Amino acid sequence: MRTRTLGSTGPTVSALGLGAMGMSDAYGPTERAESVATVHAALEAGVTLIDTGDFYAMGHNELLLAEALRGRDRDSYQLSVKFGALRGPDGGFGGTDGRPEAVKNFLAYSLTRLGTDHIDIYRPARLDPAVPIEETVGAIKEMIDAGHVRHLGLSEVDAATIRRAHAVHPVADLQIEYSLISRAVEAEVLPTLRELGIGMTAYGVLSRGLISGHWSADRAGAPGDYRAFSPRFAEENVAHNLALVEALRRVAGAKGCTVAQLAIAWVAAQGTDIVPLVGARTRERLAEALPALEVELGADDLAEIEKAVPSGSARGDRYPAAFMSSLGVGN
């Protein structure tokens, strides 16, 4: 497994990370034994970076990871944990809490659920508009100084917020959606990260399966599947977006790889300071994703991909309207 370093102050991690959210939340029912087996397969393949959130099924994902990681050398993997999103018993979202006292409370619960004494990268899931980012980061800095956290991360914030946070404590990486059809970060956020020496962990590299090559317009979402409410999967948009996938499929065929592998390779090719996160829920999907790191894309390949899926060509926002206001950048 190749490695990449997250920014100038962050850890060295596997060049591909595992996003664990879908094993517990958002995309319908899952099978616990298969989820654990997928984590094990990722570790055995050399994946060291595992991303979760304390609000993924209200702690379920952290408990699942604790089970999957039990007995493993704690220095053999890195845990990236998001916090701050508030949820109710019905699973609905109720805003974000970035108060310093809340930061320490969230962390204490995560450490216990995960069965560990430290988090490698700790980050607010979203910006709390009622709390200056300096205060939230200041609390994380205290936890770093106390040894409970190794590195500071951010998630889905704009360039100005990145600068303010970085002035309080060095930021290792920004976690943000980045894919062939979600490229708003390229305008201002990515240049700011590179100016400041901050890495990026890119989630949504397959746009929740939309550009994986496995989605079809007539596919029915399972109960609890977020994609039933996602604008890009909506009836008025999905056919257009899948036409982009078919154009990408032709490029992938010429390269001798799958659509998913090409989409992941494209993100990885945007810079060695970017680590794609793949939300594989099964060993089958993980096995497809891993060879993406071996897909070499030259200038001609990148030009063909750009021709197939031009920037801004997707239809629909990347989140439902109610969630767009909490994002640092748009589509």
Side-chain angles (χ1 to χ4, degrees):
M1 172 63 68
R2 301 175 187 177
T3 61
R4 293 186 172 187
T5 300
L6 293 176
S8 58
T9 64
T12 297
V13 302
S14 52
L16 193 71
L18 179 65
M21 179 183 72
M23 297 178 181
S24 300
D25 208 1
Y27 302 120
T30 58
E31 210 286 307
R32 191 177 189 89
E34 180 60 27
S35 296
V36 171
T38 301
V39 174
H40 289 170
L43 293 169
E44 287 155 15
V47 173
T48 65
L49 180 63
I50 303 175
D51 181 76
T52 184
D54 63 9
F55 53 94
Y56 290 170
M58 288 65 77
H60 178 280
N61 201 238
E62 291 181 318
L63 292 169
L64 174 69
L65 288 177
E67 177 184 341
L69 296 169
R70 192 170 296 126
R72 301 272 174 168
D73 178 357
R74 183 61 184 86
D75 292 330
S76 68
Y77 60 88
Q78 299 97 8
L79 288 170
S80 162
V81 179
K82 294 182 291 296
F83 70 88
L86 304 177
R87 301 188 71 174
D90 63 353
F93 285 86
T96 302
D97 191 347
R99 295 171 301 139
E101 57 269 37
V103 171
K104 298 170 186 178
N105 178 78
F106 290 135
L107 176 61
Y109 279 76
S110 284
L111 290 171
T112 300
R113 283 190 292 259
L114 287 163
T116 185
D117 63 354
H118 71 277
I119 303 298
D120 296 282
I121 312 172
Y122 201 51
R123 67 184 85 243
R126 296 289 186 271
L127 182 66
D128 183 345
V131 179
I133 189 62
E134 291 85 354
E135 294 184 16
T136 303
V137 169
I140 299 174
K141 181 181 184 300
E142 288 183 34
M143 296 298 93
I144 292 173
D145 292 342
H148 303 304
V149 173
R150 296 280 171 84
H151 301 279
L152 166 67
L154 296 173
S155 177
E156 286 287 358
V157 293
D158 62 15
T161 302
I162 294 166
R163 292 184 184 279
R164 289 169 57 191
H166 194 66
V168 175
H169 189 276
V171 177
D173 76 299
L174 171 71
Q175 187 174 122
I176 198 162
E177 186 168 354
Y178 188 34
S179 73
L180 273 166
I181 63 172
S182 295
R183 295 173 60 178
V185 298
E186 294 175 344
E188 187 176 3
V189 168
L190 188 51
T192 299
L193 296 179
R194 287 174 170 161
E195 174 194 336
L196 298 176
I198 300 171
M200 178 197 289
T201 44
Y203 77 90
V205 293
L206 297 179
S207 197
R208 299 161 184 83
L210 181 60
I211 61 171
S212 67
H214 301 296
W215 196 264
S216 61
D218 59 353
R219 180 171 168 179
D225 194 328
Y226 153 86
R227 289 171 291 202
F229 309 99
S230 173
R232 288 183 175 168
F233 290 84
E235 185 177 358
E236 65 273 20
N237 297 325
V238 69
H240 169 86
N241 292 334
L242 289 177
L244 299 175
V245 177
E246 291 310 305
L248 193 62
R249 196 185 303 276
R250 290 190 287 274
V251 181
K255 285 294 293 181
C257 64
T258 69
V259 174
Q261 289 165 356
L262 189 65
I264 296 166
W266 181 88
V267 174
Q270 302 311 301
T272 56
D273 51 353
I274 300 172
V275 174
L277 298 173
V278 295
R281 301 197 294 167
T282 65
R283 285 168 287 178
E284 179 183 7
R285 289 289 177 254
L286 176 68
E288 180 183 15
L290 289 170
L293 295 176
E294 307 304 320
V295 178
E296 300 288 346
L297 298 178
D300 290 344
D301 298 318
L302 294 171
E304 286 300 310
I305 294 170
E306 183 71 24
K307 188 185 303 182
V309 187
S311 180
S313 57
R315 286 185 184 168
D317 288 334
R318 59 189 178 99
Y319 277 92
F323 293 92
M324 289 298 291
S325 62
S326 68
L327 305 177
V329 296
N331 290 323

